[in-house]
Amino acid sequence: MLIKQPADIPSSDITPHSTYMRRRDFLAALVTLPIAGKMVTTTDGQTTKDAVTSYTNYYEFGSSKGDASRNGSAFKASPWSVTIDGLCAKPGTLTLEDLLKPHPLEERVYRHRCVEGWSMVIPWDGFPLASLIKRFEPSAKAKFVEFTTVNRPEQMPGIRRRVLPFPYVEGLRMDEAMHPLTILATGLYGESLLTQNGAPLRLVVPWKYGFKSAKAIVKIRFVEKQPLNTWQDANAEYYGFYANVNPDVPTPAYSQATERRIGDFFQRRTLPFNGYADQVASMYAGMDPKKLF
Ligand SMILES: Nc1nc2c(c(=O)[nH]1)N[C@H]1C(S)=C(S)[C@@H](COP(=O)(O)O)O[C@H]1N2
Ligand SMILES: [Mo]
């Protein structure tokens, strides 16, 4: 029998500390969360939990990346309720617990791309938005879904300073909202979402730029007309409604052709629809790809 001496162990056999920590988190997740399934959509290495929970965009807490993790301690994500209304047969206001009950959580490992040119790979815990939408029976007139996020100036210093028009609003076309890749997330790395990541409930739409991922959702509304999302309202030249990742369409500030994965040194080429083209491109057939930003 061959016994490996420490000097014989190639460095590739040694589990990096971050992976070891991740495994521990995963074991903790098995205990705390009933995860029903797992969908891994990339083999790229996952971004460290430290980076995912500190490098965030959340303007209700301020306009720099660390603001939400620094300024989030006054924010209370419990109790929480969500109102679902608009063009549907069964509108209502539900506590978060009642809203989550019928939806088994899954782990989804997704690429996450920001307009600013950085990206991450994040293991979310969540469930398909479609399974929630169906419960409320939207009518045939409902063409879009509008998401409104929480507006609590007393707990959110960025709202007091009016750094954006609040509350933060996002929207999806109904078919985008019903797409199986679109999820509502309640956790990441096997643990409940922290304030800075959008606790207790946020949207994740992996083929679109991060700004579509509304955090701390309190209202979901079925509407006939395309909603005006906050970033388009604030600066339409930079941010559109569709926000589909398109490496061929630069914004005035950033090229979009490449991205830097947080933790990497080199830039990598950005993929159309953030690498999800096979699953989503057909939804935009016949539309001008330059206008899908
Ligand atoms: N409520 C709310 N949701 C928000 C934002 C925000 O300022 N407020 N920022 C958006 C932007 S600009 C991005 S890039 C993503 C970033 O998600 P992340 O911080 O989890 O990476 O959240 C989006 N969701
Ligand atoms: Mo963003």
Side-chain angles (χ1 to χ4, degrees):
M1 174 179 151
L2 175 71
I3 296 171
K4 274 192 180 178
Q5 297 302 310
D8 298 326
I9 302 174
S11 59
S12 59
D13 278 358
I14 299 170
T15 308
H17 182 66
S18 60
T19 309
Y20 163 77
M21 292 302 286
R22 227 182 274 144
R23 186 174 310 142
R24 280 187 34 195
D25 292 340
F26 181 65
L27 290 175
L30 287 178
V31 178
T32 56
L33 285 171
I35 300 285
K38 186 175 166 95
M39 179 192 277
V40 177
T41 65
T42 174
T43 54
D44 297 352
Q46 294 174 18
T47 306
T48 63
K49 193 166 90 178
D50 265 3
V52 176
T53 55
S54 55
Y55 196 87
T56 64
N57 275 341
Y58 200 164
Y59 287 77
E60 285 87 334
F61 291 100
S63 43
S64 26
K65 299 284 178 278
D67 281 348
S69 48
R70 271 193 301 270
N71 304 334
S73 54
F75 181 73
K76 298 270 172 291
S78 172
W80 196 265
S81 57
V82 183
T83 299
I84 291 106
D85 65 11
L87 303 167
C88 65
K90 298 186 169 161
T93 296
L94 276 81
T95 65
L96 187 72
E97 291 70 25
D98 283 336
L99 195 78
L100 297 185
K101 241 178 237 158
H103 308 288
L105 292 182
E106 300 164 17
E107 188 188 40
R108 300 279 187 103
V109 183
Y110 280 165
R111 288 177 292 267
H112 179 70
R113 168 72 156 84
C114 178
V115 167
E116 295 161 8
W118 51 266
S119 64
M120 299 189 185
V121 174
I122 303 177
W124 300 106
D125 300 315
F127 59 89
L129 174 61
S131 70
L132 180 143
I133 288 180
K134 284 179 199 147
R135 280 174 67 191
F136 296 89
E137 300 179 13
S139 74
K141 272 172 91 183
K143 300 285 185 257
F144 295 90
V145 186
E146 182 186 83
F147 304 85
T148 306
T149 83
V150 79
N151 191 6
R152 292 189 193 156
E154 67 290 356
Q155 294 177 11
M156 300 171 128
I159 296 188
R160 297 199 292 272
R161 299 205 323 271
R162 299 166 199 265
V163 298
L164 274 179
F166 291 115
Y168 193 93
V169 172
E170 257 308 339
L172 293 171
R173 217 169 57 188
M174 186 57 89
D175 58 338
E176 298 175 326
M178 295 296 289
H179 192 280
L181 284 174
T182 303
I183 58 171
L184 284 172
T186 58
L188 57 81
Y189 268 119
E191 289 169 7
S192 297
L193 288 178
L194 298 176
T195 294
Q196 58 266 36
N197 295 111
L201 189 71
R202 67 170 284 165
L203 186 61
V204 178
V205 196
W207 69 94
K208 293 177 182 277
Y209 291 107
F211 69 87
K212 291 308 269 190
S213 301
K215 294 170 173 167
I217 293 167
V218 291
K219 198 174 177 95
I220 299 176
R221 198 172 164 76
F222 302 108
V223 297
E224 193 169 2
K225 296 211 175 78
Q226 182 175 303
L228 178 63
N229 48 313
T230 294
W231 279 106
Q232 195 180 8
D233 186 18
N235 192 341
E237 249 188 280
Y238 282 64
Y239 309 100
F241 173 79
Y242 279 94
N244 288 336
V245 175
N246 187 340
D248 298 331
V249 179
T251 64
Y254 301 97
S255 105
Q256 308 303 329
T258 62
E259 69 201 61
R260 193 177 70 82
R261 188 64 50 80
I262 298 296
D264 285 1
F265 182 73
F266 292 109
Q267 296 276 321
R268 64 176 70 208
R269 206 181 284 280
T270 289
L271 299 169
F273 298 102
N274 200 26
Y276 299 100
D278 287 354
Q279 288 124 292
V280 302
S282 63
M283 285 194 289
Y284 309 100
M287 295 178 74
D288 177 358
K290 304 267 175 206
K291 298 215 170 98
L292 289 172
F293 175 68

